[in-house]
Amino acid sequence: MYFYGKFLGRTTLLITLLLAPWLKGGLEYSNQVYLYYGILASCSFAILCLFAERRHSTFFQSSWLFEVSMIPLLLGILFGFFQLLPLPATVLQAISPHKIELCHELVSSGESLDTKWEKNVLTQSEIDKIPQWSNQISVCSSETREQLALLILAVSAFLIAGILFDTEDSRRWFWIFLVGNGLLLALFCIATRANDAISFYSAESDYFGPFFNKNNGAGYLCLCFGAAFSFLTESCLIHKNRVSLQNHSYKRSNPHFVKKLNVLLINLEKISRLTEKMVQLIKQSFFPLLTCGIIFAAILASLSRGSSLAVIFGFLFGLVILIYKKNVRYGYLVSVLLLIILGFLFCAGLNDSIRKRIATLLLSDVNSNALMIDGRWKLWDGTIQTIKDFQSCGAGLGTYYLANRKNDPFLHFGSIGYNAENQWLETIVNAGYFGLFLAVWEFLLILITAFLLIKRTKKDSIFALGTGIIVLLISQAISGTFDFGLYLPANILLFAVLCGSFMNCFDLSVKKQNSFFFSEHQFRIKKVIRLSLLFLALLFCWNSLKEIQSIAEIREAKKLIRMPQQTWTLDPDLIDEWIQYTKTKVEKRQDDFKAHLFLADLWELRFRIAVWERFNSESFLETEKNSDKNEQKINLLWKKTQPLAWHLLITEKQKLNLNVYVQFIRNEPAVQKFLREALKEVLLARKYCPIHPATHYRLEIYLPLVNSTTLDEQRQLFNLYSKRTISLSPTEPRHLFLCGFCHLCSGDEKNGFSYWRKSLTCSTAYLNEMLSFIELNVPQNQWNDALDNFLPDSFDIVNESIKKYPLFKDYLLPILKKRLDQTPSSEKNAAYYLHYARWQMQTGNHSEAALCFEKAIELDSKESSAYYEFGLLLLDHPELRDSDLCEFMFKTYLVLKPHDPRGRQQLAKAKKLK
C-alpha cells in the first residue's frame, strides 16, 4: 500500500506540474481548477503513504529542516486569514491607520444624504448581510481570498513534494522530468519567437510560448535552468583519484637535448591523459550542457531583460561554486555552453533582436505603445509612496492594483499597473513588512540550507542538488526585482515543489541515535506533524478549489457573452438570459465587486435595448436601410440610449424647473426596471469594495434618473462622489471627464471645468467630447469663457482643438494668443516659437511665421516638427517659396525622422519645384 500510494501520488503531482505551463501558465481560472484537482489528489495519496509508513529508513534520516521551513509558509497563510478577520476599531487603528482614514473618506455613516437615498434602493435585509468594510485589514476581501487560495496551493505543493519525493532516486527522476518539460517549453518558445505564425495562442509580441507574458515565461524557464544546472554540475564533477604523473630527475651530465626530449615526452603524456578525460567528460555532460544551453537561449530569446540578467548572474554564481570545488573544467563548461546558446539563437535568427534589446538595459524602458517611458522606475516610485500607507500589515493579499491606484503613473494613459513589476515591493503593499519578512525568512532558510549542504556533503549528487537550488534562488531573487513571475500559478508551483523536494533531503539528517526510544519517539512526532499538515492542506485546498471554481464560472459567464458589432440588434430575451445566468453565478461569490459591476453593465445594456425599441416603435428611422445617412442616424440614436444622455436630459429639465417632465422620465418603465437594478448592483459593489473608483462615479450617472432628489441635493452628492473618485484615481482621464460632465450637467461650471482641465492635463483622449458638449449645451456668447476655463495652459492642446473643431477657431485663436503673451521671457524656448509660428499661420501672417520657425530651429536644431512645418510653409506659399531651402528642410527632417513616409513625400514635391 505504501509503495502504490507513493507511486500514484508522485505521478499525479508530476502530471499536474508538467501541464501547468502549457495551460497558459495557469492564469485562467478554468485551468487553475485542474491544478487544484491534481494537488488534492496527490495530497490524498501522500496521506495514504504516511498512514502506511512503517519506520521507513529515509523517514528517519531526513532532518527537521523540512518542518522548520514550513513555519514561515504557515504563518503566511495565517496572516492572510488575519487580514480578512473583523477587528475592533482600536486594533485596526493601531496596525492599519490608513484603512481607518479610507473608511472616513469613502464610507458614509449615520443619516447622511448618501445613506438615506441608498436605503431607497437596497433593502435593510440586504444591507445587514453585507460585512462592514471598515473592520478588516484587507481593502477587498474577494481579491484577498483569491490570492490566499493561490498561496495555499503553493504551500500544499511544497509540503506534498517534500513528503513524496524523499529519496535520492525519486527526486532525481522527478527533476529530470521537470527539466525535460522545461526543455520542450524552451524549444517551443524559441520557435514561436522565431515565427509567430506557429503559435497556437496568439501571434502578438507580448506572448511567449504558452505564457501570456514574456517576462513570466522567461521566469518559469529560469526555474528550469536552475534544476538543469544541478544535472550539469553532477556530470562535470571529476573525482580526485587522478594518477599522479611520475617525476623524472635529470642528471647534470645529461646533454641538453636529452633533457628537452624528456620534457616533451612528459608533456605529451599529460596531453594524452587530459584528452582522454575531456572525451569522457563530453560523453557524460553533453546532454545536460545542451539542455542548459537551449533553456538559456530561450530566456534570452524572450527579450525579457530582467530574466536575462537573472539567468546570467545565476549561471555565474553557479560557476563560482564549481570553481570553489576546484575539480571542474569550468573553462570547458563556459565555452561549450556559449557555443550552444549562440548557435541556437543564430539559427533562429534572433541574435540581432536580442543584442538590441539587451543594449537598452541602461536606457529608458519604452514599449511599443509608448506608454511606459521609464515605466518601471515611475511605477516603483509610486509603489513606494503606497507602501507608506500600508507598511505595517499591508492592504490585503492580491489588492496591489487597488491600493496603488492613486499613485499609478499609467493612469495618465488610461491604463493601470496590475502588478508592481517587483515582487518584493508588491509583497510589502499586499502584506506589509511582516509579509516581506516571512518571504525573506523562507528564501534565506532555503539558501543557507543549500550552502551548508554543498559545504558538508561528500556526495557529488547532493552537491549538485544544492548548487542547482542556489542558482535557482539567485535567479529568482534577481528576476523578482523586475517582474512578478511568482504571482503566476505555474511559476509558484514549480518553485514550491523544487524547494520542497530539496528541503526534505535526507543527507541533512542528524546522526542516528542509539536509543530505540528516541527513534520511535522521533518517528511518531514527525508522523503526527506531517499528517496534521496534510489534512490541513487537504481541507484548505478543497475550500480554495470552491473559491476558484466560483471565479471561473463568473469569468466563463463573461466569455459566453459575445457583443455583436451592432449592439442594438441584440435580442432582449437573450440579454435577460445572460443576466439570470450571471446572477446565479454571483450568488456563490457575493462579495466580488467586479461581478456586481459586470451585472450592472448587463442591466445598463438591457436598459439601452429597451430605449432602442422605444425609438423604433416611434418611427425615428424613416430613411432607407442601406443608406449612409441612415447609418449615421442609427449611430446617433444609439448614443442617445446611453445613461449619460438621459442624465443630461433630466438635469436640463430640472434646471428649467420642469418637474412634470422630470417625474415622467423617472417613471419610465426602462428606468425603473433596468437602471434601478444597475444602480443596485453598483451600490452592492461599493459596499464590498469602496476603494474602486467605478463604485462612486457610476452613482453620479444613475442618481438623477432613479432617485427622487432635488438638484441641490444632487450637487451635494456629486461633490461627494467626485471627491471620492478623484482621491482614488487622481490622474485617470476618463474618471475626470465623467465627474466634470456630471457637474456641468447640474450647472456647477466651476467644478465641472476644473475636472475637465485636469483631464486634459493628463490626456486629450476626451477633447472631442468636451468640445462637442460646449457646442451643444453652452450658449454661443459664452463659448469664449467656457473654452478659456477648461483648456489648460498648453499650446499643443489649444492647437489640437483648432484642428479637431474648426468651428471654434475664431474663439480659440485669441486664447492661444493669450497663452503665448503670458509666457515669461525666460521660458520662450524653441517650443514657444514653434507655437507662435503656428498661430501666425492660422492668422495668415506667413512671413512672420517663417521668422518664428527660423528662431525655433536656431534655439533647438533637433526640433523635427519645426523643419517639417517650415518646409510645408515654403512649399504651400509661392511668395515665400525657396526651392533649395524647402528641400533642405525636408532632408534635415528625414535625418531626424528617417522612417516617416511623409518626409519622403514632401521631399519629392520640393525637388519638383526646381
PDB file of all heavy atoms in Angstrom, residues 31-46:
ATOM      1  N   ASN A  31      -8.432  26.865 -15.976  1.00  0.00           N
ATOM      2  CA  ASN A  31      -7.256  25.992 -15.967  1.00  0.00           C
ATOM      3  C   ASN A  31      -6.737  25.758 -14.549  1.00  0.00           C
ATOM      4  O   ASN A  31      -6.212  24.686 -14.243  1.00  0.00           O
ATOM      5  CB  ASN A  31      -6.139  26.597 -16.825  1.00  0.00           C
ATOM      6  CG  ASN A  31      -6.498  26.616 -18.297  1.00  0.00           C
ATOM      7  OD1 ASN A  31      -7.273  25.799 -18.761  1.00  0.00           O
ATOM      8  ND2 ASN A  31      -5.933  27.558 -19.031  1.00  0.00           N
ATOM      9  N   GLN A  32      -6.874  26.757 -13.694  1.00  0.00           N
ATOM     10  CA  GLN A  32      -6.434  26.589 -12.309  1.00  0.00           C
ATOM     11  C   GLN A  32      -7.200  25.486 -11.600  1.00  0.00           C
ATOM     12  O   GLN A  32      -6.666  24.827 -10.709  1.00  0.00           O
ATOM     13  CB  GLN A  32      -6.600  27.904 -11.539  1.00  0.00           C
ATOM     14  CG  GLN A  32      -5.544  28.939 -11.828  1.00  0.00           C
ATOM     15  CD  GLN A  32      -5.676  30.150 -10.923  1.00  0.00           C
ATOM     16  OE1 GLN A  32      -6.017  30.022  -9.757  1.00  0.00           O
ATOM     17  NE2 GLN A  32      -5.418  31.327 -11.482  1.00  0.00           N
ATOM     18  N   VAL A  33      -8.447  25.287 -11.985  1.00  0.00           N
ATOM     19  CA  VAL A  33      -9.257  24.239 -11.353  1.00  0.00           C
ATOM     20  C   VAL A  33      -8.579  22.879 -11.493  1.00  0.00           C
ATOM     21  O   VAL A  33      -8.535  22.087 -10.540  1.00  0.00           O
ATOM     22  CB  VAL A  33     -10.675  24.214 -11.975  1.00  0.00           C
ATOM     23  CG1 VAL A  33     -11.456  22.994 -11.487  1.00  0.00           C
ATOM     24  CG2 VAL A  33     -11.426  25.492 -11.623  1.00  0.00           C
ATOM     25  N   TYR A  34      -8.001  22.601 -12.663  1.00  0.00           N
ATOM     26  CA  TYR A  34      -7.318  21.318 -12.870  1.00  0.00           C
ATOM     27  C   TYR A  34      -6.087  21.203 -11.978  1.00  0.00           C
ATOM     28  O   TYR A  34      -5.771  20.116 -11.481  1.00  0.00           O
ATOM     29  CB  TYR A  34      -6.921  21.177 -14.337  1.00  0.00           C
ATOM     30  CG  TYR A  34      -8.091  21.192 -15.294  1.00  0.00           C
ATOM     31  CD1 TYR A  34      -8.230  22.210 -16.237  1.00  0.00           C
ATOM     32  CD2 TYR A  34      -9.063  20.209 -15.250  1.00  0.00           C
ATOM     33  CE1 TYR A  34      -9.300  22.242 -17.107  1.00  0.00           C
ATOM     34  CE2 TYR A  34     -10.151  20.226 -16.119  1.00  0.00           C
ATOM     35  CZ  TYR A  34     -10.254  21.250 -17.044  1.00  0.00           C
ATOM     36  OH  TYR A  34     -11.322  21.267 -17.892  1.00  0.00           O
ATOM     37  N   LEU A  35      -5.397  22.318 -11.760  1.00  0.00           N
ATOM     38  CA  LEU A  35      -4.237  22.289 -10.879  1.00  0.00           C
ATOM     39  C   LEU A  35      -4.648  21.956  -9.450  1.00  0.00           C
ATOM     40  O   LEU A  35      -3.966  21.191  -8.755  1.00  0.00           O
ATOM     41  CB  LEU A  35      -3.512  23.637 -10.919  1.00  0.00           C
ATOM     42  CG  LEU A  35      -3.023  24.128 -12.290  1.00  0.00           C
ATOM     43  CD1 LEU A  35      -2.298  25.457 -12.149  1.00  0.00           C
ATOM     44  CD2 LEU A  35      -2.127  23.099 -12.960  1.00  0.00           C
ATOM     45  N   TYR A  36      -5.758  22.495  -9.014  1.00  0.00           N
ATOM     46  CA  TYR A  36      -6.230  22.197  -7.656  1.00  0.00           C
ATOM     47  C   TYR A  36      -6.629  20.728  -7.535  1.00  0.00           C
ATOM     48  O   TYR A  36      -6.351  20.091  -6.509  1.00  0.00           O
ATOM     49  CB  TYR A  36      -7.416  23.092  -7.296  1.00  0.00           C
ATOM     50  CG  TYR A  36      -7.006  24.462  -6.816  1.00  0.00           C
ATOM     51  CD1 TYR A  36      -6.837  25.516  -7.705  1.00  0.00           C
ATOM     52  CD2 TYR A  36      -6.769  24.702  -5.473  1.00  0.00           C
ATOM     53  CE1 TYR A  36      -6.450  26.766  -7.277  1.00  0.00           C
ATOM     54  CE2 TYR A  36      -6.382  25.960  -5.025  1.00  0.00           C
ATOM     55  CZ  TYR A  36      -6.226  26.984  -5.924  1.00  0.00           C
ATOM     56  OH  TYR A  36      -5.829  28.225  -5.494  1.00  0.00           O
ATOM     57  N   TYR A  37      -7.274  20.198  -8.560  1.00  0.00           N
ATOM     58  CA  TYR A  37      -7.638  18.775  -8.529  1.00  0.00           C
ATOM     59  C   TYR A  37      -6.385  17.906  -8.432  1.00  0.00           C
ATOM     60  O   TYR A  37      -6.358  16.912  -7.689  1.00  0.00           O
ATOM     61  CB  TYR A  37      -8.442  18.402  -9.779  1.00  0.00           C
ATOM     62  CG  TYR A  37      -9.912  18.735  -9.669  1.00  0.00           C
ATOM     63  CD1 TYR A  37     -10.550  19.494 -10.647  1.00  0.00           C
ATOM     64  CD2 TYR A  37     -10.672  18.271  -8.598  1.00  0.00           C
ATOM     65  CE1 TYR A  37     -11.902  19.805 -10.553  1.00  0.00           C
ATOM     66  CE2 TYR A  37     -12.026  18.582  -8.501  1.00  0.00           C
ATOM     67  CZ  TYR A  37     -12.630  19.348  -9.476  1.00  0.00           C
ATOM     68  OH  TYR A  37     -13.960  19.644  -9.383  1.00  0.00           O
ATOM     69  N   GLY A  38      -5.353  18.269  -9.183  1.00  0.00           N
ATOM     70  CA  GLY A  38      -4.113  17.497  -9.143  1.00  0.00           C
ATOM     71  C   GLY A  38      -3.461  17.541  -7.767  1.00  0.00           C
ATOM     72  O   GLY A  38      -3.004  16.514  -7.243  1.00  0.00           O
ATOM     73  N   ILE A  39      -3.417  18.733  -7.146  1.00  0.00           N
ATOM     74  CA  ILE A  39      -2.820  18.859  -5.815  1.00  0.00           C
ATOM     75  C   ILE A  39      -3.661  18.114  -4.782  1.00  0.00           C
ATOM     76  O   ILE A  39      -3.113  17.451  -3.874  1.00  0.00           O
ATOM     77  CB  ILE A  39      -2.675  20.343  -5.442  1.00  0.00           C
ATOM     78  CG1 ILE A  39      -1.699  21.036  -6.398  1.00  0.00           C
ATOM     79  CG2 ILE A  39      -2.209  20.496  -4.005  1.00  0.00           C
ATOM     80  CD1 ILE A  39      -0.298  20.479  -6.370  1.00  0.00           C
ATOM     81  N   LEU A  40      -4.970  18.179  -4.895  1.00  0.00           N
ATOM     82  CA  LEU A  40      -5.841  17.457  -3.953  1.00  0.00           C
ATOM     83  C   LEU A  40      -5.623  15.951  -4.045  1.00  0.00           C
ATOM     84  O   LEU A  40      -5.554  15.252  -3.023  1.00  0.00           O
ATOM     85  CB  LEU A  40      -7.311  17.794  -4.231  1.00  0.00           C
ATOM     86  CG  LEU A  40      -7.809  19.146  -3.701  1.00  0.00           C
ATOM     87  CD1 LEU A  40      -9.192  19.452  -4.252  1.00  0.00           C
ATOM     88  CD2 LEU A  40      -7.870  19.128  -2.178  1.00  0.00           C
ATOM     89  N   ALA A  41      -5.527  15.447  -5.278  1.00  0.00           N
ATOM     90  CA  ALA A  41      -5.318  14.007  -5.455  1.00  0.00           C
ATOM     91  C   ALA A  41      -3.962  13.577  -4.900  1.00  0.00           C
ATOM     92  O   ALA A  41      -3.859  12.580  -4.171  1.00  0.00           O
ATOM     93  CB  ALA A  41      -5.419  13.655  -6.936  1.00  0.00           C
ATOM     94  N   SER A  42      -2.911  14.312  -5.215  1.00  0.00           N
ATOM     95  CA  SER A  42      -1.579  13.946  -4.716  1.00  0.00           C
ATOM     96  C   SER A  42      -1.517  14.089  -3.198  1.00  0.00           C
ATOM     97  O   SER A  42      -0.820  13.311  -2.521  1.00  0.00           O
ATOM     98  CB  SER A  42      -0.517  14.811  -5.384  1.00  0.00           C
ATOM     99  OG  SER A  42      -0.782  16.190  -5.182  1.00  0.00           O
ATOM    100  N   CYS A  43      -2.237  15.046  -2.630  1.00  0.00           N
ATOM    101  CA  CYS A  43      -2.292  15.197  -1.175  1.00  0.00           C
ATOM    102  C   CYS A  43      -2.967  13.986  -0.534  1.00  0.00           C
ATOM    103  O   CYS A  43      -2.518  13.486   0.513  1.00  0.00           O
ATOM    104  CB  CYS A  43      -3.039  16.473  -0.812  1.00  0.00           C
ATOM    105  SG  CYS A  43      -3.052  16.857   0.945  1.00  0.00           S
ATOM    106  N   SER A  44      -4.026  13.481  -1.154  1.00  0.00           N
ATOM    107  CA  SER A  44      -4.707  12.291  -0.633  1.00  0.00           C
ATOM    108  C   SER A  44      -3.784  11.076  -0.645  1.00  0.00           C
ATOM    109  O   SER A  44      -3.742  10.295   0.321  1.00  0.00           O
ATOM    110  CB  SER A  44      -5.962  12.013  -1.465  1.00  0.00           C
ATOM    111  OG  SER A  44      -6.828  13.125  -1.468  1.00  0.00           O
ATOM    112  N   PHE A  45      -3.033  10.916  -1.719  1.00  0.00           N
ATOM    113  CA  PHE A  45      -2.093   9.786  -1.794  1.00  0.00           C
ATOM    114  C   PHE A  45      -0.966   9.933  -0.770  1.00  0.00           C
ATOM    115  O   PHE A  45      -0.484   8.946  -0.214  1.00  0.00           O
ATOM    116  CB  PHE A  45      -1.516   9.680  -3.202  1.00  0.00           C
ATOM    117  CG  PHE A  45      -2.500   9.184  -4.225  1.00  0.00           C
ATOM    118  CD1 PHE A  45      -2.776   9.931  -5.372  1.00  0.00           C
ATOM    119  CD2 PHE A  45      -3.173   7.981  -4.041  1.00  0.00           C
ATOM    120  CE1 PHE A  45      -3.685   9.483  -6.311  1.00  0.00           C
ATOM    121  CE2 PHE A  45      -4.086   7.523  -4.986  1.00  0.00           C
ATOM    122  CZ  PHE A  45      -4.340   8.283  -6.113  1.00  0.00           C
ATOM    123  N   ALA A  46      -0.531  11.186  -0.518  1.00  0.00           N
ATOM    124  CA  ALA A  46       0.504  11.408   0.487  1.00  0.00           C
ATOM    125  C   ALA A  46       0.007  11.020   1.877  1.00  0.00           C
ATOM    126  O   ALA A  46       0.752  10.436   2.684  1.00  0.00           O
ATOM    127  CB  ALA A  46       0.950  12.869   0.463  1.00  0.00           C
TER     128      ALA A  46
END
